[in-house]
């Protein structure tokens, strides 16, 4: 351990883990590093050591993050350690000391600086890419790859990632395009994480030993049984519907949503009941994730209106001081327009929201108060999970479905890991707790599978755009631009998969050749025989297809010619019977007549219902103004059909 590293490590109030020491050693020796570790494991220590190295070597270090909130927080952290003269901030909203030796910025800002050939890049020695797994983001992820590919070879890269299952593959790519990048992986969380499900007013552990808690399985079965019972009720204003699958999103159609919600009402926990339970179990402070800015604000109002107070007099006094310090530059009229009184009332009760739409002064007050342990519950969107240093004793996920930019979809294992990783404060808590709230249709086994997948593959989202190509050509020229695009992680992953497929095909061909050789004998050419058999099978299959096509055409023709009153053989899944045509019609596949069966049921027939063309067995007079919705009309016509079949029983065709 060098004296420089020892000096750096002495600045922390905990001993550094082995993986942190290993990664910092690689940086000291002049190599880049990819650090893949669970959320909350302290991988940012490695990025901070890169800052320390840059300052000691009189070189620059850029610390990049995916979101402005994380940039702002990291800026304040570094200012506290190294002073405002040494640290700058560049985001879309703020420019502070941009020529400082250490500059915190969003990744897009660095990409734009590279394309513009900014003089700020002079003497750049280190780039820290925090949350680098964000390159899988379908909308913004390509920016990370552009930066990695375009940085000067002399820059040491420090890539900090959540634990991914293909860290070695990603590290191989980094070494390919950057040279000399070491991979350091750990799956150990400093604070163990326990999983729970909040059901009604009960907090139930998700796992019992190595399996799903049988109590949760029983509740899910009872809920499903209740839903099936509801679905058997006659159709009415409440309607009917089909249950959706997944982690439990409440996605039901029509009146079935109301039925299922009613059946599950006692299982779905109220927000205030959830917080009260966590407080009783000593699991506060908590981050309560709701994937909607408006939903977070509404939740704060609901909790504040419920009368819950989570702070004592001393804490309330401290919270007032924090709030007043952050809103000092705002006028009384501004505060009134911003609803400051409502914010302060909930804030002093230990309740707050945190999302991108919150006023920066309010947001900074929330971050400071939560970090100090004064705010006990924060209702937050997922941006809080992206590395912002606001860990809690527990994390609550109200739903496991979120809007991904195009549709509402189940969250991924990676997103679940990122969100729940906020639980458990290193040096404060001996364990963290993740709580999933019960929702209609929740499948405990699906949730358990989600929670037990601690790693997930990192996939490139890189897709060259016209704007990217123009910038690259303008910056580095046509040939260099082509080379850079060919170096993307997406291309690297594609090439590797192609190599694997080619090898599989080659092995299959070799095996086939060996099998043909083994089949050779003196009685004849086995290969010719089997190839002839294959051609015969193909000819038979084609003949069968043509026969089916002929039968389909004939069926369409017969259905088209049917008249009201014709009695035909009605196909069924369990048994066949007779029906009388009461109406013609058209469906998506052609003619689709409606028949009335002997048991008074109406059925619309389609071409696909018939394996053979139907045969008209007889004819029955149907009243001119027959109303199929009338029970009397259906009963009388069914009786007439039954009587005719008794008098003149037709034969079912084979």
């Amino acid at each position: 351990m060098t004296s420089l590293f020892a000096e750096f490590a002495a600045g922390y109030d905990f001993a550094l883990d082995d993986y942190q020491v290993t990664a910092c050693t690689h940086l000291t020796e002049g190599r880049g590093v990819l650090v893949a570790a669970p959320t909350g494991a302290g991988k940012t220590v490695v990025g901070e050591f890169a800052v320390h190295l840059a300052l000691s070597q009189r070189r620059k270090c850029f610390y990049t993050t995916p979101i402005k909130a994380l940039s702002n927080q990291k800026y304040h952290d570094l200012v506290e350690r190294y002073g405002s003269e040494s640290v700058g901030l560049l985001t879309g909203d703020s420019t502070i000391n941009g020529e400082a030796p250490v500059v915190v910025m969003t990744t897009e800002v660095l990409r734009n600086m590279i394309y513009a050939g900014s003089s700020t890049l002079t003497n750049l020695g280190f780039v820290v890419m925090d949350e680098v797994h964000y390159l899988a983001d379908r909308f913004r992820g390509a920016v990370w790859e552009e930066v990695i590919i375009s940085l000067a070879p002399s820059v040491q890269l420090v890539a900090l990632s959540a634990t991914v299952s293909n860290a070695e593959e990603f590290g191989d790519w980094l070494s390919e395009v950057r040279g000399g990048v070491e991979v350091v992986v750990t799956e150990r969380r400093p604070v163990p994480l326990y999983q729970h499900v909040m059901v009604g007013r009960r907090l139930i552990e998700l796992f019992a030993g190595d399996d799903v808690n049988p109590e949760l399985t029983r509740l899910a079965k009872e809920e499903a049984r209740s839903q099936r019972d509801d679905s058997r009720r006659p159709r009415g204003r409440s309607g009917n519907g089909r249950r959706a699958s997944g982690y439990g999103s409440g996605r039901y159609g029509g009146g079935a949503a109301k039925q299922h919600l009613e059946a599950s009402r006692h299982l779905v926990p109220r927000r205030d009941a959830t917080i009260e339970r966590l407080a009783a179990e000593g699991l506060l402070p908590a981050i309560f994730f709701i994937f909607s800015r408006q939903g977070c604000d509404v939740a704060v109002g609901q909790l504040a209106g419920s009368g819950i107070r989570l702070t004592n007099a001393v804490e309330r006094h401290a919270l007032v001081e924090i709030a007043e310090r952050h809103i000092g530059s705002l006028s009384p009229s501004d505060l009134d327009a911003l609803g400051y009184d409502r914010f302060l009332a909930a804030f002093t009760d230990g309740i707050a929201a945190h999302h991108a739409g919150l006023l920066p002064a309010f947001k900074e007050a929330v971050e400071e108060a939560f970090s100090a342990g004064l705010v006990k519950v924060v209702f937050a969107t997922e941006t809080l999970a992206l590395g912002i240093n606001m860990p809690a004793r527990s994390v609550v996920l109200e739903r496991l479905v979120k809007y991904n930019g195009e549709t509402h979809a189940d969250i991924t294992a990676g997103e679940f890991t990122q969100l729940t990783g906020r639980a458990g404060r290193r040096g404060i808590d001996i364990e963290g707790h993740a709580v999933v709230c019960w929702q209609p249709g929740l499948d405990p086994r699906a949730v358990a599978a989600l929670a037990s997948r601690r790693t997930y593959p990192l996939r490139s989202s890189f897709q060259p755009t016209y704007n990217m190509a123009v910038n690259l050509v303008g910056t580095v020229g046509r040939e260099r631009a082509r080379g850079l695009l060919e170096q993307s992680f997406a291309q690297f992953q594609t090439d590797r998969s192609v190599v694997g497929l080619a090898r599989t095909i080659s092995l299959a061909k070799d095996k086939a050749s060996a099998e043909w050789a083994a089949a050779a004998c003196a009685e004849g050419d086995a290969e010719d025989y089997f190839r002839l058999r294959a051609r015969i099978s193909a000819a038979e299959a084609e003949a069968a297809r043509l026969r089916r096509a002929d039968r389909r055409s004939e069926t369409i023709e017969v259905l088209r010619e049917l008249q009201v009153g014709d009695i035909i053989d009605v196909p069924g899944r369990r048994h066949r019977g007779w029906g009388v045509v009461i109406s013609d019609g058209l469906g998506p596949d052609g003619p689709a007549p409606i028949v009335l069966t002997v048991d008074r049921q109406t059925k619309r027939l389609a071409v696909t219902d018939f394996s053979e063309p139907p045969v008209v067995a007889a004819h029955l007079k149907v009243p001119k103004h027959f109303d199929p919705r009338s029970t009397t009309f259906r009963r009388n016509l069914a009786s007439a059909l039954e009587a005719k079949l008794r008098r003149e029983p037709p034969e079912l065709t084979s």
Side-chain angles (χ1 to χ4, degrees):
M1 181 183 292
T2 65
S3 58
L4 183 65
F5 179 76
E7 173 193 338
F8 170 77
Y12 293 92
D13 55 5
F14 56 86
L16 298 189
D17 293 335
D18 290 344
Y19 86 92
Q20 294 168 325
V21 175
T22 300
C24 291
T25 300
H26 289 318
L27 290 179
T28 304
E29 295 171 351
R31 294 188 290 272
V33 65
L34 165 64
V35 180
T39 301
K43 53 185 173 287
T44 55
V45 167
V46 183
E48 290 168 2
F49 181 63
V51 172
H52 196 77
L53 271 179
L55 291 173
S56 67
Q57 298 172 3
R58 300 187 180 278
R59 292 199 292 170
K60 288 184 178 180
C61 177
F62 289 169
Y63 198 113
T64 70
T65 73
I67 58 174
K68 297 172 186 175
L70 183 52
S71 291
N72 292 333
Q73 184 181 78
K74 184 53 64 176
Y75 167 74
H76 290 299
D77 291 345
L78 293 176
V79 165
E80 185 176 349
R81 182 158 188 166
Y82 297 107
S84 58
E85 301 82 8
S86 299
V87 184
L89 175 67
L90 293 176
T91 67
D93 297 332
S94 304
T95 299
I96 303 172
N97 198 14
E99 295 300 324
V102 177
V103 184
V104 183
M105 62 186 70
T106 53
T107 315
E108 282 86 353
V109 170
L110 179 54
R111 188 269 309 270
N112 295 341
M113 289 172 61
I114 293 172
Y115 283 158
S118 172
S119 60
T120 306
L121 296 168
T122 304
N123 198 34
L124 179 62
F126 298 85
V127 167
V128 180
M129 303 195 78
D130 205 350
E131 310 289 341
V132 74
H133 55 269
Y134 208 80
L135 66 77
D137 181 78
R138 61 190 304 178
F139 299 109
R140 297 172 54 215
V143 174
W144 273 253
E145 293 191 46
E146 292 180 62
V147 169
I148 291 169
I149 294 170
S150 304
L151 278 173
S154 59
V155 176
Q156 282 180 251
L157 183 70
V158 183
L160 308 179
S161 170
T163 308
V164 293
S165 55
N166 60 335
E168 287 75 14
E169 178 189 40
F170 185 45
D172 288 346
W173 173 70
L174 290 175
S175 289
E176 185 76 26
V177 298
R178 303 292 314 159
V181 176
E182 302 292 336
V183 179
V184 179
V185 178
T186 181
E187 295 185 16
R188 175 185 171 273
R189 277 182 55 95
V191 181
L193 182 65
Y194 295 91
Q195 307 283 344
H196 310 270
V197 178
M198 186 73 187
V199 184
R201 290 183 173 272
R202 293 189 296 159
L203 193 63
I204 303 176
E205 291 189 13
L206 177 59
F207 295 101
D210 296 329
D211 203 358
V212 180
N213 193 325
E215 174 71 2
L216 294 173
T217 305
R218 180 185 64 80
L219 290 170
K221 288 180 179 178
E222 288 179 357
E223 182 193 53
R225 190 181 306 115
S226 175
Q227 168 64 5
R228 287 196 298 271
D229 292 342
D230 284 343
S231 68
R232 293 192 185 102
R233 295 175 182 172
R235 289 181 181 269
R237 292 181 63 189
S238 62
N240 228 326
R242 182 175 61 187
R243 177 179 173 183
S245 61
Y247 304 129
S249 60
R251 296 172 293 169
Y252 294 84
K258 299 177 184 177
Q259 292 177 358
H260 198 81
L261 182 60
E262 185 64 32
S264 306
R265 192 176 298 278
H266 69 290
L267 300 178
V268 178
R270 289 167 54 93
R271 289 167 177 163
D272 54 352
T274 301
I275 300 305
E276 287 174 346
R277 184 64 180 176
L278 293 178
E281 296 286 341
L283 299 183
L284 296 181
I287 299 173
F288 201 120
F289 283 110
I290 299 175
F291 302 119
S292 159
R293 298 180 187 179
Q294 183 180 9
C296 291
D297 294 333
V298 168
V300 170
Q302 288 176 342
L303 208 59
S306 69
I308 290 179
R309 177 169 284 186
L310 303 172
T311 53
N312 56 37
V314 174
E315 290 171 329
R316 287 195 290 276
H317 179 72
L319 286 164
V320 170
E321 288 186 345
I322 291 173
E324 289 181 348
R325 179 158 30 87
H326 283 280
I327 55 93
S329 62
L330 299 174
S331 67
S333 59
D334 289 338
L335 294 175
D336 185 57
L338 293 166
Y340 175 67
D341 289 343
R342 292 192 303 275
F343 167 81
L344 185 63
F347 189 64
T348 53
D349 285 340
I351 306 163
H354 187 286
H355 54 72
L358 201 63
L359 187 74
F362 290 4
K363 188 188 298 183
E364 291 168 8
V366 171
E367 291 172 1
E368 180 181 341
F370 192 79
S371 298
L374 297 172
V375 166
K376 312 298 182 181
V377 178
V378 167
F379 292 96
T381 56
E382 63 180 318
T383 55
L384 185 56
L386 284 173
I388 296 178
N389 187 26
M390 285 178 62
R393 182 164 295 165
S394 61
V395 162
V396 181
L397 302 184
E398 185 169 65
R399 293 180 183 273
L400 297 178
V401 174
K402 75 178 187 70
Y403 187 70
N404 63 10
E406 293 182 352
T407 184
H408 286 86
D410 294 325
I411 68 173
T412 65
E415 290 166 336
F416 185 90
T417 300
Q418 188 83 19
L419 294 165
T420 58
R422 295 289 103 195
R425 298 167 296 179
R426 186 171 187 175
I428 302 175
D429 301 317
I430 60 172
E431 59 190 34
H433 297 265
V435 180
V436 173
C437 292
W438 189 280
Q439 292 295 326
L442 184 136
D443 180 357
R445 292 196 173 277
V447 178
L450 194 68
S452 60
R453 284 185 60 193
R454 306 317 305 160
T455 61
Y456 53 96
L458 183 62
R459 299 297 177 202
S460 173
S461 62
F462 185 85
Q463 291 183 333
T465 62
Y466 177 79
N467 187 54
M468 181 195 306
V470 169
N471 281 321
L472 281 174
V473 171
T475 305
V476 299
R478 184 186 298 270
E479 291 304 315
R480 174 64 175 152
R482 180 188 297 274
L484 289 174
L485 292 178
E486 289 175 348
Q487 293 178 47
S488 72
F489 187 39
Q491 188 68 42
F492 185 80
Q493 289 184 311
T494 300
D495 287 346
R496 286 212 164 182
S497 64
V498 168
V499 170
L501 288 173
R503 178 168 174 77
T504 300
I505 293 171
S506 177
L507 290 173
K509 287 182 176 179
D510 291 344
K511 184 177 180 180
S513 298
E515 294 289 346
W516 285 126
C521 66
E523 301 299 326
D525 193 328
E527 184 173 352
D528 282 349
Y529 169 74
F530 284 112
R531 292 193 186 282
L532 179 60
R533 287 287 304 272
R535 289 197 294 272
I536 292 172
S537 296
E540 290 174 341
E542 177 64 13
R545 187 189 67 78
L546 293 174
R547 286 196 298 272
R548 288 194 299 272
D550 288 342
R551 286 196 298 271
R552 176 182 172 84
S553 298
E554 188 178 349
T555 299
I556 292 174
E557 188 62 28
V558 172
L559 293 179
R560 186 178 288 120
E561 298 297 328
L562 287 178
Q563 302 292 322
V564 172
D566 285 345
I567 298 174
I568 63 171
D569 176 13
V570 179
R573 292 183 178 178
R574 296 186 180 178
H575 57 81
R576 300 163 64 185
W578 296 99
V580 57
V581 178
I582 58 174
S583 174
D584 56 11
L586 285 175
D589 297 319
I594 299 175
V595 299
L596 177 75
T597 62
V598 175
D599 57 1
R600 307 175 190 175
Q601 300 297 313
T602 58
K603 181 177 181 180
R604 181 177 289 279
L605 301 176
V607 176
T608 53
D609 291 325
F610 297 90
S611 59
E612 297 287 343
V615 176
V616 177
H619 190 83
L620 179 67
K621 183 175 178 58
V622 177
K624 186 174 182 180
H625 300 293
F626 179 79
D627 184 1
R629 295 171 296 180
S630 168
T631 304
T632 302
F633 273 74
R634 292 201 309 272
R635 182 179 63 246
N636 292 341
L637 185 59
S639 297
L641 174 61
E642 189 174 15
K644 185 173 183 64
L645 293 174
R646 280 199 304 267
R647 291 193 307 271
E648 307 171 20
E651 293 184 3
L652 289 171
T653 57
S654 58

